[in-house]
Amino acid sequence: MSGLQRTVEVAGERPYSIRISAGLLADGSALCSPVRGDQVLVVSDDAVAPLYADALEAALRGARPGLAVARLVLPAGEASKTLAGFARAIDALATMGARRDACVFALGGGVVGDLAGFAAACWMRGIDCVQLPTTLLAMVDSSVGGKTAVDLPQGKNLVGAFHPPVAVFADTATLRTLPPRELRAGLAEVVKYGAIGDAPFLDWLEAHAGRLLGGDDAALREAIARSCQHKAAIVARDPFEHGERALLNFGHTFAHAIETAQGYGGLNHGEAVAVGMVLAARLSERLGLAPIADGDRLQALLARFGLPVHLPAGLDPQRLLDLMRLDKKARADGLRFIGWNGAGRARILGDVPEEAVLDVLR
Ligand code: NAD
Ligand code: GLY
């Protein structure tokens, strides 16, 4: 396994490693290495837990027989990423009598990772969290960098904290059970890294699209490692999003508005990001900042990955604009978007005229 393992280091005040390989969830001694105490809460969802939680817990207990391991399983899906779901995680920590050296293991996609990470951030003002991402999206994005949150009816991720994990183990074997729609959603975030800062990575993705869609482990490992390298570099320089980290939100202002307008039951996050990136590219064109050809290229690559590239029918542009005003990037002086100057050259767009946004949404 080790020859095929990729490791990405995330620098910062509390550095940590992202390990990427098939079979990591069976490696009890590696998984236990960041655990300081003798209590673990595994948080998962009801699609992932039946597949992987027993084996994970057996690996943990095998490596450290005295470990007390509790489990919380939430219903799968974005609808669980709420204050009520968060309260269940806090209850689980209270029930097990979690001490300051307890550790939360987030086993699942970004929903579980964000919620479990937020519970870890809040319990006793912060206990350790290990991220065990099982979706491609979580492996390339949400498990890395320490953003944790839950949603409110008023908007996505409005309640949360920065709480970096102490370790990330991305077991790529779990991607074999991932529904194809979710694999494609993760590819949207992979494309994002090329779009914002690495045009040659877009060439690579175009060349390897078939292997990635087919679930080829080597191609996926390469895509995950390269994505994590990008995210790790940005997060190390700007952990609290005072500046360039905002570039990671390319397409996200549109995406979050779409997800909220659809009540978190329409496009999934990655699909919404795909549409949002195309809209961000088109907005940049509209503002005279980027060539149309680059937007066309981005749209074609996302479509090749089976992702939506147009706004879903029935969404009211004015309502989407209203939702964007609540986006975390919005400021008193107006709407801010992440746009680009073309492939690989993202930039922050301040004070964007609402009429230009409405034009793009129409
Ligand atoms: P998700 O967690 O809902 O997972 C998608 C679906 O796949 C779920 O039904 C889940 O049960 C299932 N699943 C997960 N792994 C599986 C596996 N290996 N086999 C079979 N089924 C599996 O969605 P997601 O796309 O992973 O994450 C989306 C969330 O991540 C959103 O809430 C988004 O806001 C958040 N996010 C956070 C960050 C961050 O920096 N914290 C970044 C990007 C996205
Ligand atoms: N997904 C955006 C970020 O982590 O900053």
Side-chain angles (χ1 to χ4, degrees):
M1 182 178 77
S2 56
L4 300 175
Q5 181 168 305
R6 301 287 297 268
T7 303
V8 177
E9 304 296 339
V10 186
E13 208 170 295
R14 292 173 60 200
Y16 56 95
S17 301
I18 307 163
R19 291 184 219 180
I20 305 155
S21 178
L24 282 171
L25 289 183
D27 189 345
S29 56
L31 294 167
C32 277
S33 60
V35 178
R36 294 183 294 124
D38 59 6
Q39 294 172 306
V40 163
L41 175 66
V42 175
V43 180
S44 192
D45 73 31
D46 61 11
V48 174
L51 296 170
Y52 301 112
D54 284 348
L56 165 68
E57 291 175 14
L60 293 173
R61 289 197 180 96
R64 205 176 289 180
L67 205 62
V69 184
R71 186 190 299 184
L72 171 68
V73 178
L74 296 159
E78 188 75 29
S80 281
K81 216 179 99 172
T82 57
L83 288 172
F86 165 77
R88 287 191 59 192
I90 294 296
D91 275 352
L93 288 163
T95 302
M96 72 187 289
R99 294 181 289 270
R100 296 192 72 101
D101 58 3
C103 187
V104 173
F105 274 60
L107 173 69
V111 164
V112 164
D114 280 12
L115 183 144
F118 185 41
C122 294
W123 181 254
M124 295 190 170
R125 300 198 185 91
I127 60 171
D128 290 346
C129 181
V130 170
Q131 292 280 347
L132 305 175
T134 63
T135 64
L136 180 60
L137 185 140
M139 291 179 189
V140 300
D141 194 353
S142 59
S143 65
V144 178
K147 279 190 183 176
T148 71
V150 295
D151 304 329
L152 296 182
Q154 293 89 337
K156 284 262 302 175
N157 297 333
L158 287 180
V159 185
F162 286 99
H163 189 62
V166 291
V168 181
F169 297 94
D171 184 340
T172 52
T174 62
L175 298 178
R176 293 175 200 151
T177 58
L178 191 65
R181 180 181 175 193
E182 301 301 339
L183 186 80
R184 294 194 294 267
L187 288 169
E189 297 279 12
V190 173
V191 169
K192 178 186 77 179
Y193 294 105
I196 65 173
D198 185 358
F201 190 33
L202 292 178
D203 300 336
W204 186 88
L205 290 170
E206 284 163 349
H208 294 83
R211 286 177 65 194
L212 292 164
L213 283 166
D216 179 276
D217 194 63
L220 286 167
R221 247 183 295 124
E222 175 64 21
I224 295 164
R226 211 150 152 181
S227 300
C228 287
Q229 282 159 1
H230 280 293
K231 181 147 186 183
I234 291 176
V235 161
R237 291 191 293 264
D238 182 19
F240 301 113
E241 198 169 311
H242 295 309
E244 70 168 310
R245 183 167 179 170
L247 301 180
L248 293 171
N249 293 319
F250 184 59
H252 283 57
T253 304
F254 289 109
H256 288 166
I258 294 167
E259 290 178 87
T260 306
Q262 294 189 316
Y264 308 120
L267 297 187
N268 64 30
H269 180 70
E271 291 167 341
V273 167
V275 175
M277 289 193 291
V278 174
L279 292 172
R282 300 306 181 198
L283 178 63
S284 307
E285 286 160 30
R286 174 94 184 44
L287 298 172
L289 300 170
I292 293 173
D294 287 29
D296 291 347
R297 180 185 177 201
L298 176 68
Q299 181 168 330
L301 178 59
L302 293 167
R304 180 136 181 242
F305 281 139
L307 288 157
V309 291
H310 299 292
L311 260 191
L315 291 181
D316 173 27
Q318 188 59 51
R319 160 115 173 98
L320 291 173
L321 185 65
D322 292 343
L323 288 167
M324 288 176 205
R325 292 203 190 95
L326 199 57
D327 185 88
K328 292 189 291 313
K329 285 181 295 307
R331 299 223 171 135
D333 57 354
L335 288 173
R336 290 197 329 147
F337 285 81
I338 309 307
W340 72 356
N341 291 123
R345 288 177 294 146
R347 55 175 285 175
I348 295 172
L349 308 178
D351 207 7
V352 175
E354 295 196 351
E355 208 39 51
V357 180
L358 282 172
D359 268 1
V360 166
L361 289 172
R362 289 183 198 117

